[in-house]
């Protein structure tokens, strides 16, 4: 199984596409996890650079909207189709809103499954605050109703929402691990979705817990004989990355942290 480590474009929006791609290629990332640029010219350039540099591409669906649920369904489906048309290795979906009903969530899961089957592009649903998979207790009933539901494991959100390291949610956590096809490798803690710096000793307990979960995800995907498993080093910019009070300076370098996570994951899982 190939394990590929991707860079987010998030936090690098100020760079021109060719400069961003050159930056992550030079840093040794295997690919990109990002949304589709709204400008057709920029999108064409991004896809060209991905192909030219042999990069793995995860397309990011987070823009679905609508004044009512029917309109949201249509927007959701159209966005997934637009992502699939770019031939990513998979589509990472921010699915729904946390206030949607259980049946509405099931409807969106089914729409995604239909698009995935028609396009032969896997669609995985991110465990993210404000979305369908915002907490373990909200996700467990969806797992029970949809055996084929697969996820992007961004467990930093579950840690933050439950104010815990998930010790009371072991059954659904293990189920989530078996359903993970993509990982957002950001380390959260009990009061937030992103530690200040995973290199710092006060966060060693959190980093080790997340590495344990990611270890299990790697094992499960190898057992399933997956061809590829993707990790995105998704430490983000402000306001995920805090600033020194009364200044405009971040407390650490987002890119340096993501490079540290890339190197840590590569050494651990690839060698």
């Amino acid at each position: 199984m190939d394990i590929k480590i991707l860079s987010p474009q998030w936090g690098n929006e100020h760079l021109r596409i060719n400069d961003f791609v050159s930056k992550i290629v030079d840093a040794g990332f295997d690919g990109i996890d990002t949304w589709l640029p709204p400008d057709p010219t920029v999108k064409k350039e991004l896809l060209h650079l991905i192909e030219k540099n042999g990069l793995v591409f995860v397309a990011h669906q987070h823009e679905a909207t609508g004044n009512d649920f029917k309109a949201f369904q249509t927007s959701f489906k159209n966005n997934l189709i637009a992502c699939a048309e770019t031939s990513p290795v998979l589509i990472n979906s921010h699915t729904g809103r946390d206030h949607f009903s259980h049946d509405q969530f099931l409807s969106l899961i089914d729409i995604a499954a239909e698009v995935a089957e028609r396009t032969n592009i896997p669609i995985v649903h991110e465990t993210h605050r404000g979305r369908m998979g915002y907490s373990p207790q909200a996700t467990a009933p969806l797992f029970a109703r949809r055996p084929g539901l697969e996820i992007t494991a961004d467990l930093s959100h579950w840690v933050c929402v439950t104010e815990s390291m998930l010790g009371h949610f072991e059954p659904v956590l293990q189920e989530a691990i078996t359903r993970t096809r993509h990982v957002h490798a950001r380390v959260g803690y009990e009061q937030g979705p992103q530690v200040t710096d995973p290199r710092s000793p006060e966060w060693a307990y959190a980093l080790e817990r997340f590495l344990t979960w990611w270890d299990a995800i790697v094992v499960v995907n190898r057992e399933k004989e997956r061809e590829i498993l993707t990790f995105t080093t998704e430490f983000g910019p402000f306001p995920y990355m805090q600033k020194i009070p009364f200044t405009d300076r971040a407390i650490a370098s987002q890119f340096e942290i993501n490079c540290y996570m890339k190197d840590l994951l590569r050494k651990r899982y690839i060698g």
Side-chain angles (χ1 to χ4, degrees):
M1 181 181 71
D2 282 340
I3 294 177
K4 299 296 186 182
I5 304 172
L6 316 184
S7 170
Q9 190 182 7
W10 183 36
N12 294 278
E13 299 93 333
H14 61 289
L15 297 176
R16 297 191 330 178
I17 286 295
N18 61 327
D19 292 333
F20 166 64
V21 172
S22 294
K23 180 179 180 180
I24 67 164
V25 168
D26 290 345
F29 285 94
D30 299 316
I32 298 170
D33 181 343
T34 190
W35 55 89
L36 298 181
D39 184 326
T41 301
V42 178
K43 181 173 78 170
K44 183 178 180 180
E45 182 181 11
L46 171 65
L47 297 176
H48 167 71
L49 290 169
I50 288 170
E51 182 177 7
K52 177 182 176 182
N53 289 279
L55 299 175
V56 174
F57 176 44
V58 167
H60 198 104
Q61 189 296 123
H62 71 285
E63 296 176 314
T65 188
N67 293 326
D68 56 46
F69 185 67
K70 184 175 181 180
F72 189 96
Q73 286 177 302
T74 300
S75 174
F76 180 69
K77 184 174 184 178
N78 288 341
N79 283 337
L80 291 177
I81 291 171
C83 287
E85 288 173 348
T86 64
S87 300
V89 67
L90 60 82
I91 298 168
N92 173 64
S93 178
H94 277 220
T95 303
R97 300 283 186 268
D98 59 5
H99 59 82
F100 286 0
S101 72
H102 181 75
D103 287 342
Q104 287 173 330
F105 287 145
L106 294 176
S107 172
L108 296 176
I109 293 168
D110 292 343
I111 288 171
E114 174 193 338
V115 174
E117 182 175 6
R118 177 148 53 94
T119 62
N120 201 32
I121 303 292
I123 298 174
V124 291
H125 304 269
E126 185 174 349
T127 58
H128 199 290
R129 289 170 300 149
R131 307 294 187 176
M132 177 179 76
Y134 70 93
S135 72
Q137 54 268 51
T139 309
L142 301 174
F143 284 161
R145 292 287 300 277
R146 292 296 183 269
L149 173 62
E150 294 182 318
I151 66 169
T152 292
D154 190 339
L155 298 173
S156 69
H157 293 286
W158 281 10
V159 163
C160 176
V161 168
T162 65
E163 295 188 313
S164 75
M165 283 296 173
L166 305 180
H168 297 297
F169 300 97
E170 195 63 28
V172 65
L173 173 62
Q174 293 306 314
E175 183 69 19
I177 285 170
T178 68
R179 293 170 181 257
T180 296
R181 196 159 181 164
H182 180 45
V183 179
H184 276 177
R186 185 176 60 251
V187 178
Y189 65 109
E190 295 88 337
Q191 301 300 327
Q194 179 170 298
V195 300
T196 52
D197 192 326
R199 299 167 293 188
S200 183
E202 64 265 28
W203 299 120
Y205 80 95
L207 177 60
E208 286 305 313
R209 184 64 61 90
F210 275 77
L211 286 169
T212 298
W213 296 333
W214 300 337
D215 289 349
I217 288 168
V218 169
V219 169
V220 166
N221 277 268
R222 282 183 172 144
E223 289 174 346
K224 291 183 177 182
E225 298 183 343
R226 296 269 195 221
E227 292 185 5
I228 186 172
L229 174 64
T230 46
F231 283 79
T232 299
T233 61
E234 219 210 11
F235 275 77
F238 181 81
Y240 273 64
M241 174 71 69
Q242 297 179 21
K243 292 183 178 180
I244 299 170
F246 305 105
T247 77
D248 196 37
R249 300 197 306 275
I251 58 173
S253 164
Q254 178 202 3
F255 192 69
E256 284 182 8
I257 288 174
N258 281 329
C259 286
Y260 165 78
M261 293 300 297
K262 165 183 60 69
D263 295 341
L264 176 65
L265 296 170
R266 181 162 288 151
K267 181 178 180 180
R268 193 175 185 94
Y269 301 128
I270 304 172

